[in-house]
Amino acid sequence: MAYNHTSTEKKWQRYWLENKTFRALDPAEAGKMPKKYILDMFPYPSGSGLHVGHPEGYTATDIVSRYYRNKGFNVLHTIGWDAFGLPAEQYAVKTNTHPRVTTAANITKFRQQIRMLGLSYDWDREVDTTDPKYYKWTQWIFLQLYKSYFDPFDNKAKPISHLVAELENDNLVVAPDGSIHINPVSEGMQAISGDVEAYRKWGSYTPIEQRGILDGQRLAYTDEVPVNWCPGLGTVLSNEEVIDGKSEVGGFPIERRPLRQWMLRITAYADRLLADLDALNWPESLKEMQRNWIGRSIGAEVDFEIDGRDDVITVFTTRPDTLFGATYMVLAPEHELVDQITTNEARAQIAAYRHGSQGKSDRERQQDTKDKTGVFTGAYAVNPLNDQKIPIWIADYVLMGYGTGAIMAVPAHDERDFEFAKKFDLPIKHVVRPAKGAADQSKAFTDIGVSINSDFLDGLPTAEAKERMTEYLEEEGVGHKSINYKLRDWLFSRQRYWGEPFPIVLDMMGNHFAIDEAELPVTLPEIEDFKPTGTPEPPLGKAKDWIQYSDDLRRETNTMPQWAGSCWYYLRYIDPNNGAEMVEESKERYWMPVDLYVGGVEHAVLHLLYSRFWHKVLFDLGHVSTAEPFQRLVNQGMILGETEFHFFESSAGAVSASEISNIAEEVTDEGPKLAGIHKTTGEKHYTTRVIEQLVEKKGDKYVLRANNEVAVDARSFKMSKSRGNVVNPDDIVEEYGADCFRLYEMYMGPLEAQKPWNTRDIIGMWRFLNSVWRNFIGEDEARVTLTGGHANDEIDRMLHRTIKKVSEDIESLRFNTAIAELIKLNNEIAKLTAVPQAVAEVFALLLSPFAPHIAEELWLRMGHTESIQKAHWPHYDAAKLIDTTIELPVQINGRLRDKIQIIADADEQMIFDLVEASAKVKPWLDGKEIRKRVYVPGKMVNYVVG
RNA sequence: GCCCUUGUGGCGGAACGGCAGACGCUACGGACUUAAAAUCCGUUGACCUUUAUCGGUCGUGUGGGUUCGAUUCCCACCAAGGGCACCA
């Protein structure tokens, strides 16, 4: 009987489920077994189900998990659902279905699809972020953040009760702005300038002031921040969800408006998030993305006095060495001093400009970066170095959220300042020259060089000049060294229904209080109507009874963003049913950190940064034992749609792709299309797709078969519904089986590489599996009896080489080459008239991580009664890897001229003698002088002649 | 603009200082078959030479360099993909 994938796969999937074959053992049960924690990125169960990209990473981790189980490891490998989120809620609004209903249906579909792939998850550990038993602990973690502050002296989070104690015993004092400092008296310090008395002891503040001071220190705090408010959707949106001032979904207008929001103080961890990246085994590119996102820059803050006023404007600069070149100053339009310094003459213009920028989103303000705008305030600042007066402007190009919201403009050495100065005819003063050659005066010189026109800095290279200037500023008391980050605190609240409620209540004054941990979870109220209210009041506001917590306390009605649940799910997998703790300590210590984490690169700076942040807070507070959650992380490459061929067309007919520049995808009425600009006419051209058969390769490009003059654009696109190139895994599994699908996905190329799907290629893996079946079972089960005894030497050597290669390849995630090796071995076995049982068993084991269903079936028919997953991974015998004779390539001047057969342990002289006796080599040596003989043991021989 | 990644046959890819193209697909030829499917065998980078073999030349995006030897290491450039983008 030929191999029937459908019945075999169903049978084993049922067996695994019923027997809990992949159950991970708790540490007490595991004894001395070493552990591996192998993690897949948390899927969002969307309505459209799995696409072929999901199983790529899942199959990779599944192979690794199965391999380590066979190697005797206790493996934790499971799955769960990141099930809160906007798509389900949008659908709920549209159809008036409860999001819980659609979410449950989606999870059922995902679970069924994932089981169909034969993935070796421990299904007893499945979690769902929308389950109150799960989000109880999401809320609990939020409370830990709420009840903690960041101690900058120890560089870690501590309970806020510790801060209170330090304030109460006057080790710490509070400045008028609410900032907290070491008591200068207890430190034995005198104030350098200013008054020590400005710092006040804790006891001198009123209880209301004390509350404000503490709330200002929490890791979870509220703040009034300008957000993208979308009245049409009734929610705030992130910058990513806003395109050209309109919502990405529905195209509703966006307003900037300040709203009270929950924020998480991730910026306190910027340094540690940055520093700890170094030790992680992650792709360098991903680490780089996180570094860029954190955006640490070192510079100085410099105080400029305002001419004729008692105020100071502090600017941040990364180039203190260019301070002598500052010819004007720019404040962000919303800077607090603008109103006070603006002169009467300038007032109307300033007001108009500020009004204009207020309505714009951050994105809009950053759109036209070339065309600078701004207005002069009429006021002047004084350069602290030389008392020179420079005009103060306001302009959109300075952002309130970065640095101090004010800059000193050095047009000679900053591109933005240069453009601005050119436009408004402001002076440009050169204070740095290139180390070599002359500067191009038509643009800003932004590189490092040597200081000029800068008094005491003259002649110093930029690095030294920066240091010298910073020292000088500190000596003079007009500035100091400063570090800034691009990273902003995490805006943590959403005006949505389908998210975790905050475990927070508010009094009439708007003061917030933590709900007692014993009262968790705070469950979502049932509400009938999911439509937006049209005001910033979240949908939870409609649950009137739920809101009223007590006579004078009402509940927080915002919900948490989708990222909350996925920040810590890997901890819950360890102890998923624990009702008393987030995770039990001994289990956490046993399993953490995650040994291998595989997922797409799209989570590089959101999920992966957020969860590192939460993990570090939990670490500081003693709830987890490692500083980092994910030791080794690998990004699977995206699987693209099948390669498409397009040529460009104008009214005049086909146009060669080589004539077109700026080729990019464009969304048209007929769906996404490629468009480009004709290099000479400038006319816009759209593409027409052609099938592969109408195209041929000519030189290094494709052309139309019918007209070789027309070059064709060949590329693969991201799979998308609108493009219609999505491949559904269900179809592939039905036709070829899960084993075949898994093999194909792994055989496409390296895991990390981006690669195009090609349905035509699947047949190769299909043939391979059928050949395996024929080799061990036979077309009519004729070969079901395997022979005893040993394999011949050649097969035996090959077998051991394959064990070595497959083992090493799995450990380094090179599945494509491991499969190639299995195919080679199978091709050799196919030539045998009788297959020894020993060979067959090893082959089945080597195949089992990749194609587990067929491997189980083979294993069973070879006479085993237990799952192949319980068997031991084969060892290879190093002695069997060594050939007695080897073939040695012989090169003359680096070119291959002959190959010689020789015993493996031949010495150099024997080899040279043999080479020089070779008839093929002789003509290349005749009449030439042998200058050098190179022998690389076991590899090759090279003669240098001349 | 800045940062990162990737360029190897008709296609996916392998080799990552030592025989370029493993393995799979496609295509072509052959065997089996009444026929088809399936299966099996062979050929499949380009060019030159040859009846064929044998043999030779070129060839890993382009141009340089290091080396006995470079797809691999270094420099510059080009192209594609991704990220960031007025971050002072």
Side-chain angles (χ1 to χ4, degrees):
Chain A
M1 196 180 78
Y3 178 59
N4 181 330
H5 66 258
T6 312
S7 61
T8 307
E9 293 186 350
K10 285 219 171 78
K11 168 181 150 189
W12 286 104
Q13 283 163 17
R14 202 176 324 117
Y15 174 94
W16 293 329
L17 215 52
E18 283 168 2
N19 290 277
K20 298 189 189 294
T21 308
F22 311 116
R23 194 170 68 87
L25 306 177
D26 281 333
E29 240 180 311
K32 285 206 154 51
M33 273 173 97
K35 68 95 185 178
K36 286 280 176 190
Y37 187 178
I38 297 164
L39 184 65
D40 286 319
M41 277 192 192
F42 213 27
Y44 175 76
S46 71
S48 44
L50 290 183
H51 58 81
V52 294
H54 283 113
E56 191 194 9
Y58 299 163
T59 305
T61 53
D62 195 60
I63 291 165
V64 176
S65 298
R66 287 175 180 272
Y67 167 77
Y68 279 114
R69 283 193 205 99
N70 284 129
K71 292 277 270 188
F73 283 78
N74 183 22
V75 173
L76 174 50
H77 185 51
T78 186
I79 193 80
W81 319 106
D82 185 14
F84 276 129
L86 192 60
E89 186 173 10
Q90 286 294 96
Y91 187 75
V93 169
K94 226 191 287 176
T95 62
N96 216 22
T97 324
H98 198 290
R100 185 175 295 124
V101 176
T102 52
T103 300
N106 291 350
I107 289 176
T108 304
K109 173 148 172 83
F110 260 68
R111 190 190 291 117
Q112 175 262 320
Q113 283 187 303
I114 279 176
R115 283 190 178 157
M116 152 194 104
L117 297 170
L119 299 170
S120 64
Y121 294 130
D122 178 351
W123 287 101
D124 292 346
R125 292 173 187 262
E126 184 184 356
V127 303
D128 167 3
T129 54
T130 65
D131 181 349
K133 289 200 285 293
Y134 181 91
Y135 70 67
K136 169 182 180 176
W137 298 105
T138 310
Q139 293 170 335
W140 180 84
I141 296 169
F142 176 83
L143 285 183
Q144 308 315 306
L145 286 149
Y146 180 79
K147 293 175 184 173
S148 307
Y149 77 107
F150 193 81
D151 180 345
F153 307 110
D154 282 353
N155 200 22
K156 62 180 279 197
K158 292 180 182 174
I160 206 134
S161 54
H162 180 265
L163 176 64
V164 174
E166 288 292 285
L167 286 163
E168 282 176 348
N169 66 21
D170 294 336
N171 283 341
L172 296 174
V173 290
V174 183
D177 66 356
S179 59
I180 293 176
H181 303 263
I182 290 179
N183 189 338
V185 176
S186 71
E187 284 289 292
M189 282 166 54
Q190 298 294 317
I192 294 164
S193 66
D195 46 332
V196 175
E197 291 75 39
Y199 295 119
R200 282 166 54 197
K201 290 182 179 178
W202 181 241
S204 71
Y205 288 90
T206 68
I208 290 172
E209 286 171 329
Q210 288 183 345
R211 155 174 271 283
I213 290 161
L214 290 184
D215 285 349
Q217 294 295 321
R218 296 179 190 277
L219 294 183
Y221 64 99
T222 59
D223 200 7
E224 185 102 345
V225 289
V227 294
N228 299 308
W229 168 250
C230 178
L233 291 173
T235 183
V236 299
L237 295 173
S238 66
N239 283 339
E240 292 73 33
E241 293 164 321
V242 180
I243 312 240
D244 293 335
K246 290 186 178 138
S247 66
E248 191 183 12
V249 181
F252 299 108
I254 301 295
E255 294 168 15
R256 295 284 290 176
R257 69 155 82 164
L259 286 175
R260 188 188 64 91
Q261 299 288 317
W262 281 98
M263 309 287 290
L264 298 186
R265 203 179 302 281
I266 190 171
T267 51
Y269 281 84
D271 255 335
R272 279 168 61 188
L273 289 169
L274 194 64
D276 290 356
L277 277 176
D278 293 346
L280 295 178
N281 183 4
W282 288 19
E284 202 46 48
S285 61
L286 194 140
K287 290 197 209 178
E288 203 53 35
M289 278 166 78
Q290 291 218 344
R291 288 189 191 110
N292 290 339
W293 191 263
I294 294 167
R296 184 180 198 262
S297 49
I298 304 169
E301 283 187 9
V302 186
D303 295 336
F304 283 68
E305 280 182 14
I306 302 165
D307 187 40
R309 287 181 61 91
D310 197 15
D311 268 318
V312 162
I313 295 174
T314 305
V315 303
F316 172 71
T317 176
T318 54
R319 292 292 300 270
D321 61 302
T322 62
L323 188 44
F324 283 102
T327 54
Y328 62 102
M329 176 181 271
V330 188
L331 305 184
E334 55 273 59
H335 196 282
E336 57 177 9
L337 284 175
V338 173
D339 265 340
Q340 299 164 43
I341 63 170
T342 301
T343 58
N344 287 332
E345 300 81 66
R347 199 162 296 278
Q349 260 193 303
I350 290 284
Y353 188 80
R354 291 181 90 185
H355 184 77
S357 45
Q358 219 167 28
K360 293 189 210 164
S361 66
D362 270 356
R363 190 155 283 225
E364 267 183 306
R365 277 176 64 169
Q366 292 170 15
Q367 213 117 66
D368 249 334
T369 62
K370 277 288 161 201
D371 189 31
K372 296 275 179 294
T373 60
V375 181
F376 177 45
T377 61
Y380 290 84
V382 181
N383 189 328
L385 297 177
N386 51 17
D387 293 338
Q388 223 166 48
K389 284 189 209 167
I390 57 173
I392 304 173
W393 289 62
I394 65 169
D396 266 349
Y397 85 92
V398 175
L399 308 173
M400 196 57 223
Y402 185 78
T404 60
I407 61 157
M408 61 173 208
V410 185
H413 307 292
D414 182 287
E415 276 165 31
R416 295 150 302 179
D417 297 345
F418 184 84
E419 283 160 23
F420 193 84
K422 278 284 174 202
K423 175 155 180 189
F424 294 103
D425 210 17
L426 291 156
I428 297 169
K429 185 181 168 196
H430 294 265
V431 291
V432 184
R433 65 164 172 82
K436 276 185 283 201
D440 177 359
Q441 303 267 329
S442 68
K443 57 181 186 185
F445 174 70
T446 56
D447 283 348
I448 57 167
V450 177
S451 286
I452 50 169
N453 301 325
S454 295
D455 196 344
F456 59 90
L457 296 184
D458 283 354
L460 290 179
T462 298
E464 280 174 49
K466 283 185 187 180
E467 263 178 60
R468 180 71 198 92
M469 178 60 83
T470 307
E471 281 165 25
Y472 177 84
L473 293 170
E474 284 176 6
E475 284 160 18
E476 297 293 310
V478 290
H480 56 88
K481 185 177 169 182
S482 172
I483 295 168
N484 255 285
Y485 301 91
K486 282 204 294 191
L487 184 70
R488 305 293 154 76
D489 275 343
W490 178 8
L491 195 152
F492 195 67
S493 40
R494 297 290 183 272
Q495 293 71 43
R496 293 176 186 169
Y497 172 74
W498 198 227
E500 298 87 348
F502 281 80
I504 291 289
V505 290
L506 304 150
D507 66 13
M508 301 307 179
M509 313 287 293
N511 293 316
H512 41 74
F513 302 88
I515 276 179
D516 196 287
E517 286 176 16
E519 289 178 44
L520 297 180
V522 177
T523 53
L524 271 172
E526 293 305 324
I527 58 174
E528 300 285 311
D529 173 22
F530 300 96
K531 288 189 185 65
T533 58
T535 70
E537 186 59 26
L540 289 189
K542 294 174 186 171
K544 297 294 177 210
D545 295 342
W546 180 84
I547 292 176
Q548 212 56 47
Y549 178 78
S550 67
D551 285 348
D552 46 4
L553 293 172
R554 60 189 168 81
R555 290 184 192 274
E556 168 68 61
T557 53
N558 281 301
T559 51
M560 298 186 198
Q562 200 189 339
W563 310 104
S566 61
C567 264
W568 71 284
Y569 71 106
Y570 58 91
L571 290 171
R572 195 59 181 171
Y573 282 160
I574 291 170
D575 199 6
N577 301 310
N578 192 335
E581 288 172 284
M582 170 182 74
V583 54
E584 197 215 293
E585 189 187 350
S586 66
K587 293 179 184 171
E588 187 275 332
R589 282 181 183 276
Y590 177 79
W591 287 112
M592 288 298 286
V594 172
D595 297 287
L596 175 65
Y597 195 15
V598 174
V601 75
E602 65 273 16
H603 296 117
V605 289
L606 292 164
H607 161 62
L608 286 173
L609 200 60
Y610 295 154
S611 50
R612 289 181 65 218
F613 162 50
W614 276 33
H615 196 87
K616 285 185 185 304
V617 175
L618 292 172
F619 174 68
D620 287 352
L621 299 176
H623 299 299
V624 297
S625 61
T626 64
E628 284 286 338
F630 314 122
Q631 213 0 263
R632 182 182 181 200
L633 185 142
V634 174
N635 288 127
Q636 84 224 27
M638 197 191 300
I639 294 182
L640 305 171
E642 299 224 8
T643 306
E644 296 177 22
F645 300 91
H646 297 265
F647 67 95
F648 288 85
E649 240 181 345
S650 71
S651 47
V655 176
S656 210
S658 50
E659 297 295 308
I660 306 290
S661 65
N662 298 334
I663 298 172
E665 226 179 326
E666 214 175 89
V667 180
T668 69
D669 296 341
E670 299 151 55
K673 275 198 147 190
L674 273 186
I677 308 291
H678 196 279
K679 279 176 184 165
T680 46
T681 66
E683 192 191 341
K684 192 164 200 172
H685 289 69
Y686 288 95
T687 49
T688 300
R689 185 169 175 187
V690 284
I691 56 167
E692 196 181 349
Q693 282 70 28
L694 298 180
V695 165
E696 63 186 343
K697 190 124 184 191
K698 194 181 175 193
D700 58 355
K701 54 177 174 261
Y702 289 92
V703 295
L704 285 180
R705 235 179 243 283
N707 179 359
N708 279 358
E709 295 308 304
V710 178
V712 172
D713 181 86
R715 65 176 79 191
S716 314
F717 298 88
K718 201 169 153 170
M719 286 190 190
S720 73
K721 262 193 212 152
S722 57
R723 185 163 272 283
N725 59 350
V726 176
V727 178
N728 185 344
D730 296 23
D731 301 339
I732 307 296
V733 170
E734 188 181 337
E735 194 172 349
Y736 297 99
D739 285 340
C740 184
F741 177 60
R742 290 164 58 114
L743 280 171
Y744 171 65
E745 288 226 336
M746 293 300 100
Y747 194 63
M748 287 171 82
L751 180 63
E752 298 92 328
Q754 191 175 86
K755 45 218 167 254
W757 180 268
N758 190 352
T759 299
R760 192 174 62 193
D761 286 344
I762 299 172
I763 195 73
M765 295 302 110
W766 169 257
R767 286 178 190 149
F768 167 56
L769 286 176
N770 279 288
S771 164
V772 168
W773 188 257
R774 272 196 311 275
N775 281 346
F776 299 108
I777 306 298
E779 200 70 65
D780 301 307
E781 316 225 348
R783 208 173 186 175
V784 76
T785 45
L786 301 163
T787 63
H790 292 288
N792 69 52
D793 280 359
E794 207 180 319
I795 284 289
D796 207 33
R797 256 202 306 278
M798 187 153 183
L799 191 67
H800 284 265
R801 263 201 290 264
T802 308
I803 296 169
K804 180 170 192 282
K805 182 87 168 103
V806 170
S807 308
E808 287 173 357
D809 282 355
I810 290 175
E811 288 181 25
S812 49
L813 313 181
R814 292 192 303 256
F815 307 114
N816 53 336
T817 51
I819 295 168
E821 225 50 36
L822 288 169
I823 293 171
K824 262 155 68 175
L825 179 57
N826 182 63
N827 288 346
E828 286 309 307
I829 291 172
K831 293 175 190 161
L832 301 177
T833 47
V835 182
Q837 172 107 14
V839 172
E841 292 196 346
V842 170
F843 187 88
L845 269 166
L846 295 179
L847 180 65
S848 68
F850 302 91
H853 307 87
I854 195 172
E856 288 275 23
E857 190 63 28
L858 291 172
W859 195 246
L860 177 78
R861 293 183 186 223
M862 285 171 195
H864 298 278
T865 51
E866 240 193 340
S867 164
I868 195 167
Q869 183 70 101
K870 306 292 177 193
H872 293 292
W873 191 256
H875 290 283
Y876 64 87
D877 181 352
K880 295 261 175 72
L881 301 177
I882 302 161
D883 287 310
T884 47
T885 63
I886 53 170
E887 191 189 58
L888 222 48
V890 178
Q891 297 179 351
I892 310 294
N893 286 340
R895 319 194 72 107
L896 182 72
R897 296 303 179 191
D898 193 14
K899 292 172 183 179
I900 55 169
Q901 297 288 333
I902 195 153
I903 51 165
D905 52 359
D907 68 23
E908 230 177 72
Q909 197 52 54
M910 280 172 69
I911 288 163
F912 291 145
D913 289 348
L914 199 63
V915 166
E916 281 153 51
S918 156
K920 278 188 190 168
V921 169
K922 242 194 175 86
W924 298 101
L925 300 181
D926 273 354
K928 306 258 175 63
E929 183 201 344
I930 298 172
R931 297 213 177 114
K932 194 174 176 183
R933 295 176 175 89
V934 182
Y935 171 55
V936 183
K939 291 276 192 186
M940 49 75 69
V941 180
N942 188 24
Y943 274 56
V944 186
V945 303

